[in-house]
Amino acid sequence: MGRGKIVIRRIDNSTSRQVTFSKRRSGLLKKAKELAILCDADVGLIIFSSTGRLYDFTNTSMKSVIERYNKVKEEPDPLANPISEVKYWQSEAANLRQQLQNLQANHRNLMGENLSGLNVKDLQNLENQLEIGLKGVRMRKDHILIDEIQELNRQGNLIHQENLELYQKVYGTRNATRKDSNSFINNSLRIREDPHEPFCLQLCQPQQENHETPPGATIGRLQLQ
C-alpha cells in the first residue's frame, strides 16, 4: 500500500516539527552536494532554523557565491526591452558564425588545405591532432578485424564439429552395413579410417562362386575416386 499524500502545512507539534526539519534539512544538503558534483555548478545553500541556528553548504566559498549573486542581481537584464533583446541575439548569432568559421577552417587544415598561413607551432599541433586521430582509427579497425576473425574461427569450429558428427554417423554404421550386405556387393563401398582423406568409391563386378567365367566374357571394373 502506497503512502498517502502529505499536506504541506505548518506542523503544530514541536517535536514532530523538529524531527521533520532535521530529516528535510539533511536531504536538502545532500541534494545540493550532488548537484554541485554532477553538474559542476556553483551551489550556495543557507538555512536558518526556527530557533535561529544556521546551516549552510557551498562547494566553493559562501562569500564569493553571495558576491556573485549580488552582482548578477544588480546588473540589468539584457532582455528587459526589445532593443536590448535584438542586440543580444545579434551578438549571439555573430558568435555562432565565428565559431562555425573556425570549425570550417580547422576542418580544412585537417584535410591538408590552406596550410600556407600556419607557422611551425600550428603545424606541429595539427600533426599531433592527426596522429591522435589516426591512432584512434587504427585501434578501431584492429578491434573490428579481431572480432571478425573470432567470428570466422567460431564458424569454422562449428563446421568442423558438424563434419566430425557426420563422420561418426557414417563410420558407426559401417560394420552394420557390411554385415547386412550380401556377398555379391561385399567390399564395394570402402570407408577409410582417416576422416580427413577423401572417400574412395569402387564399383566392382560381383564375385562368382563355383562358376567359371564363360569363354570370351570380360569382367569389367569401374572405379570412382
Side-chain angles (χ1 to χ4, degrees), residues 6 77 128 147 205 209:
I6 301 176
D77 188 0
N128 294 335
D147 290 343
Q205 290 289 341
E209 297 179 358

Side-chain angles (χ1 to χ4, degrees), residues 69-185:
Y69 170 79
N70 293 328
K71 181 179 180 181
V72 172
K73 291 293 292 184
E74 293 175 357
E75 293 178 353
D77 188 0
L79 305 180
N81 57 78
I83 298 177
S84 299
E85 183 176 1
V86 170
K87 292 181 178 180
Y88 172 78
W89 289 117
Q90 288 177 347
S91 177
E92 288 293 321
N95 292 333
L96 292 176
R97 282 194 298 269
Q98 184 63 38
Q99 293 179 10
L100 178 60
Q101 293 176 0
N102 294 336
L103 291 174
Q104 290 176 346
N106 189 27
H107 179 264
R108 287 192 293 269
N109 292 335
L110 291 175
M111 297 298 295
E113 302 175 358
N114 299 339
L115 302 178
S116 58
L118 302 180
N119 54 28
V120 177
K121 184 177 181 180
D122 294 335
L123 293 173
Q124 183 66 38
N125 293 333
L126 182 61
E127 184 180 5
N128 294 335
Q129 294 179 10
L130 292 173
E131 290 178 353
I132 294 174
L134 184 59
K135 182 180 179 180
V137 171
R138 287 174 176 171
M139 291 178 61
R140 179 57 182 169
K141 184 189 71 174
D142 293 342
H143 180 73
I144 294 175
L145 290 176
I146 291 174
D147 290 343
E148 292 180 353
I149 292 173
Q150 292 177 352
E151 179 63 20
L152 291 175
N153 289 334
R154 186 185 68 83
Q155 295 179 1
N157 292 332
L158 291 177
I159 295 174
H160 179 67
Q161 185 65 28
E162 292 176 356
N163 291 336
L164 291 179
E165 293 176 357
L166 291 174
Y167 171 75
Q168 292 296 333
K169 291 180 180 180
V170 175
Y171 181 76
T173 58
R174 183 186 63 174
N175 295 331
T177 303
R178 287 183 176 179
K179 289 181 180 180
D180 295 338
S181 60
N182 56 45
S183 61
F184 294 102
I185 58 173

Side-chain angles (χ1 to χ4, degrees), residues 160-161 163-164 167 192-199:
H160 179 67
Q161 185 65 28
N163 291 336
L164 291 179
Y167 171 75
R192 299 188 178 183
E193 298 295 333
D194 189 358
H196 300 288
E197 292 184 2
F199 289 103

Side-chain angles (χ1 to χ4, degrees), residues 184 205-214 219:
F184 294 102
Q205 290 289 341
Q207 297 179 358
Q208 297 182 1
E209 297 179 358
N210 302 325
H211 293 283
E212 296 181 356
T213 304
I219 298 177

